[in-house]
C-alpha cells in the first residue's frame, strides 16, 4: 500500500513510500475438528410400505339398476271437482311445514289432501282418521292447481294415493311440479269430463291409448298425450329420471 507525505517547504516536493502488510492465508482454525466419515458407516434407507386395510367407500355408477316398467293403466273411483281448484284448497298453507322426505310427515300430508275445499263439498276426499283416500283418480275443470307454486300440492295428492288427475286445463306451475316430483300424472281431456262424471264413478285410464273409460256410465273420453313428461313421472320425478338416463351419477355402496 502506498503512502504519500507532503513537505511544507518553499519548494514542496512529494515523496511516496510504499508499505507492505503481511498477507493472511486462510487456514482452518485449530479449535474446529471435523470428524472423518467412512463410506462404510453410511447405511442406505429402504422403504417398506405399511400394510393397508381396504376401507369401504361409495362408488358412482352412471346407470340405475333396471326396474320393471310399471303398469300404465289406472283403475279406481274418481273424485269430481269444478274449475279453479287452487293450491290452498289442495293443501292449506298451515300444513306446509310438513317435510315430504320424512315418511311419517309424508303420510300426514296425504291425510290433509283437499281438506281446504269449501263446505259445499259434502263428500270428503279423505275420511277422518285416514291417511289414504279411496279415490285414486281426480277429475276437474279448468285452471286446476292455480295459486301459489307450492310443491306440496301434487305431493299431498300422491301421498293420499292419487295416481292421476284428469282436467280440462292446468295452472302451469302445478303441471310442472307434478312432473318434477313424479307424484301424479297430470292429464288433460279433450272435453269437460267433469260435467259427465260423478264422484264415486268407477273409471280407468289407459295411458298408452290416451283414453279414459267411465265404467259406471259406459262412456269413453280421449285424453291429450302425456308426451315426454310420461317417462319422467314413471321414473319417480326429474332427479330419478336423470339418474336412470345417466345424466347424473347414482350413488351406490360397495
Amino acid at each position: 500500500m502506498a503512502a504519500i507525505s507532503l513537505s511544507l517547504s518553499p519548494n514542496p516536493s512529494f515523496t511516496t513510500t510504499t508499505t507492505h502488510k503481511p498477507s493472511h492465508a486462510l487456514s482452518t482454525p485449530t479449535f474446529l475438528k471435523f470428524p472423518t466419515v467412512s463410506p462404510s458407516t453410511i447405511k442406505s434407507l429402504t422403504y417398506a410400505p405399511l400394510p393397508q386395510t381396504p376401507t369401504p367407500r361409495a362408488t358412482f355408477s352412471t346407470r340405475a339398476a333396471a326396474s320393471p316398467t310399471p303398469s300404465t293403466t289406472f283403475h279406481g273411483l274418481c273424485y269430481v271437482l269444478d274449475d279453479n281448484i287452487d293450491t290452498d284448497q289442495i293443501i292449506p298453507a298451515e300444513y306446509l311445514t310438513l317435510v315430504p322426505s320424512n315418511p311419517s310427515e309424508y303420510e300426514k300430508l296425504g291425510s290433509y289432501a283437499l281438506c281446504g275445499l269449501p263446505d259445499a263439498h259434502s263428500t270428503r276426499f279423505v275420511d277422518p282418521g285416514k291417511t289414504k283416500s279411496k279415490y285414486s283418480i281426480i277429475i276437474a275443470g279448468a285452471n286446476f292447481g292455480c295459486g301459489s307454486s307450492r310443491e306440496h300440492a301434487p305431493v299431498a295428492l300422491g301421498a293420499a294415493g292419487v295416481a292421476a288427475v284428469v282436467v280440462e286445463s292446468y295452472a302451469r306451475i302445478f303441471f310442472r311440479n307434478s312432473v318434477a316430483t313424479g307424484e301424479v300424472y297430470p292429464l288433460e281431456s279433450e272435453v269437460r269430463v267433469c260435467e259427465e262424471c260423478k264422484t264415486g264413478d268407477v273409471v280407468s285410464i289407459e295411458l298408452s291409448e290416451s283414453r279414459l273409460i267411465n265404467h259406471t256410465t259406459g262412456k269413453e273420453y280421449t285424453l291429450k298425450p302425456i308426451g315426454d313428461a310420461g317417462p319422467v313421472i314413471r321414473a319417480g320425478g326429474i332427479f330419478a329420471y336423470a339418474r336412470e338416463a345417466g345424466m347424473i351419477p347414482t350413488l351406490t355402496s360397495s
Side-chain angles (χ1 to χ4, degrees), residues 162-175:
V162 175
V165 181
V166 179
V167 303
E168 184 180 3
S169 65
Y170 288 98
R172 181 176 298 181
I173 190 63
F174 180 89
F175 183 92

Side-chain angles (χ1 to χ4, degrees), residues 159-241:
V162 175
V165 181
V166 179
V167 303
E168 184 180 3
S169 65
Y170 288 98
R172 181 176 298 181
I173 190 63
F174 180 89
F175 183 92
R176 292 178 61 185
N177 285 339
S178 298
V179 176
T181 60
E183 289 287 344
V184 297
Y185 280 84
L187 305 172
E188 292 181 294
S189 58
E190 296 284 355
V191 297
R192 286 180 62 83
V193 182
C194 63
E195 295 181 351
E196 301 189 22
C197 295
K198 295 180 180 180
T199 295
D201 285 355
V202 179
V203 300
S204 294
I205 295 175
E206 298 285 350
L207 279 182
S208 59
E209 301 175 8
S210 298
R211 184 166 57 111
L212 183 145
I213 306 168
N214 188 327
H215 299 283
T216 302
T217 63
K219 293 184 178 181
E220 296 185 8
Y221 305 91
T222 301
L223 304 177
K224 297 179 182 179
I226 188 66
D228 293 338
V232 179
I233 301 169
R234 184 165 56 248
I238 192 168
F239 287 106
Y241 175 77

